[in-house]
């Protein structure tokens, strides 16, 4: 036995997407690191033929290949909590890729336990956030687990064209070509696109970078109005029709995407210190985040609403930075859950030419009081109380400027 073989682990479970990097990873792991590779492909609503992906892994050399339908769990335990936190990173990125990573890590660890494997592996490079999210999650879920990250080690294969050549040489079928070398991550909550021409931040993204949203030039000339019903922070209906989470998100992706809603072109600060240009498409997420935030403002007090935005910010960073399985996230969930008790009601939005605009809101828990707000008849506000209020409210400021 050679040295490399001696240091090989017995069984490694690989998070498998069916894409170029993880397909090459199967071959590379068998060559250099593991006696056996078990793959797990996870259905997060990416609408791919995962049976094909399952078989592809076996063809490339995996000893076992699993497909897990995790859509329900993804929506219930990851997407809805992040919606309750109005989670988005920097400008508009609704964290579709980031929020899926802890779930993938958890499901991979389930297979580790089921198959008695001694290591895990992913196809992430050394430059991205996803490696951090996976590995920090595994540190929490199974601290003794050995992690192998082929794409951090395989040197010249980092060059995309070389990787494509390697795949061709080993008979690994590939979907990205040398002509359109985007790296794409897709799930129910959104689509993330990077690489290729997109790496030039001055260049407008070519239309072929988009798949879920229409270009404004091709969107309908009439708006579509939608009503989203929420119960305790969770969207439960669309236009008065009750829908399960998966169907609701899929329908909204379609409806809003048709109007070009949900495109994000963002220069983003990665956790690892790199600024990168990212294209996102998240029609349903962008609409739901807007609607949810609006509803919260109607039903929560000013203090709760204002304070919550700093909690939301922290929660978003924590998702982005791969810190899902932490006591901090659990503690923030406690606060956030408390703020959702009143978040039931309906938000009405207009989808038109790339915009989703809130045009109406109602809730049984509404704190909006027409009698206090109106400038018309029926005004209940005590006008005589205003001068006294202002006198005391401004007292500190007045004292300072009198002395100055
Ligand atoms: N920059 C985003 C994030 O870190 C998206 C990464 C997307 N990955 C991809 N293969 N396109 O969450």
């Amino acid at each position: 036995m050679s040295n490399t073989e001696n240091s090989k682990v017995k069984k490694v479970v690989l998070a498998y997407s069916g894409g170029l990097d993880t397909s090459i990873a199967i071959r590379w792991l068998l060559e250099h690191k593991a006696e056996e590779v078990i793959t797990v492909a996870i259905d997060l609503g990416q609408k791919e033929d995962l049976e094909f992906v399952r078989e592809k892994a076996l063809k490339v050399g995996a000893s076992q290949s699993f497909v897990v339908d995790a859509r329900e769990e993804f929506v219930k335990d990851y997407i809805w909590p992040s919606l309750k936190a109005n989670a988005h990173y920097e400008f508009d990125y609704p964290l579709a890729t980031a929020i899926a990573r802890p779930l993938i890590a958890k499901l991979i660890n389930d297979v580790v336990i089921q198959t008695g494997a001694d290591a895990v592996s992913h196809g992430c490079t050394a430059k991205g956030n996803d490696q951090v999210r996976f590995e920090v999650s595994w540190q929490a879920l199974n601290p003794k687990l050995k992690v192998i990250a082929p794409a951090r080690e395989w040197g010249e294969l980092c060059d995309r064209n070389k990787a494509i050549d390697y795949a061709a040489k080993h008979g690994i079928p590939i979907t990205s070509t040398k002509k359109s070398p985007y790296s794409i991550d897709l799930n129910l909550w959104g689509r993330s696109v990077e690489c290729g021409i997109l790496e030039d931040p001055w260049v407008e993204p070519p239309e072929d970078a988009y798949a879920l949203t229409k270009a404004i030039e091709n969107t309908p000339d009439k708006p579509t109005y939608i009503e989203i019903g929420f119960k305790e922070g969770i969207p439960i209906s669309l236009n008065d029709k009750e829908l399960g989470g998966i169907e609701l998100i899929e329908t909204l992706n379609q409806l809003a995407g048709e109007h070009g809603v949900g495109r994000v072109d963002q220069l983003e600060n990665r956790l690892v210190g790199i600024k990168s240009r990212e294209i996102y498409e998240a029609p349903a997420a962008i609409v739901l985040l807007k609607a949810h935030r609006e509803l919260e403002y109607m039903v929560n007090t000013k203090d709760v609403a204002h304070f919550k935005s700093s909690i939301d910010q922290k929660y978003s960073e924590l998702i982005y930075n791969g810190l899902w399985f932490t006591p901090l996230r659990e503690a923030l969930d406690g606060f956030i859950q408390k703020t959702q008790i009143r978040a039931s009601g309906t938000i009405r939005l207009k989808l038109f030419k790339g915009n989703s605009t809130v045009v109406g809101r109602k809730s049984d828990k509404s704190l909006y009081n027409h009698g206090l707000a109106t400038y018309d008849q029926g005004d209940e506000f005590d006008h005589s109380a205003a001068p006294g209020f202002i006198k005391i409210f401004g007292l500190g400021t007045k004292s300072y400027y009198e002395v100055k």
Side-chain angles (χ1 to χ4, degrees), residues 21 89 93 95-99 101 128-130 133 182-186 191-195 268-271 276-280 319-320:
D21 291 340
Y89 184 66
Y93 169 37
L95 295 162
T97 296
I99 190 64
R101 294 302 176 260
N129 298 313
D130 286 338
R133 296 169 183 148
Y182 299 127
S183 163
I184 296 162
D185 181 61
L186 173 66
R191 184 170 175 271
S192 310
V193 193
E194 44 185 34
C195 297
E268 171 178 316
N269 288 295
R270 285 190 191 162
L271 176 58
S276 68
R277 200 277 191 93
E278 312 266 344
I279 302 302
Y280 299 111
I319 293 174
Y320 189 84

Side-chain angles (χ1 to χ4, degrees), residues 15-28:
Y16 185 60
S17 69
L20 176 64
D21 291 340
T22 52
S23 294
I24 291 179
I26 298 177
R27 240 342 126 77
W28 189 90

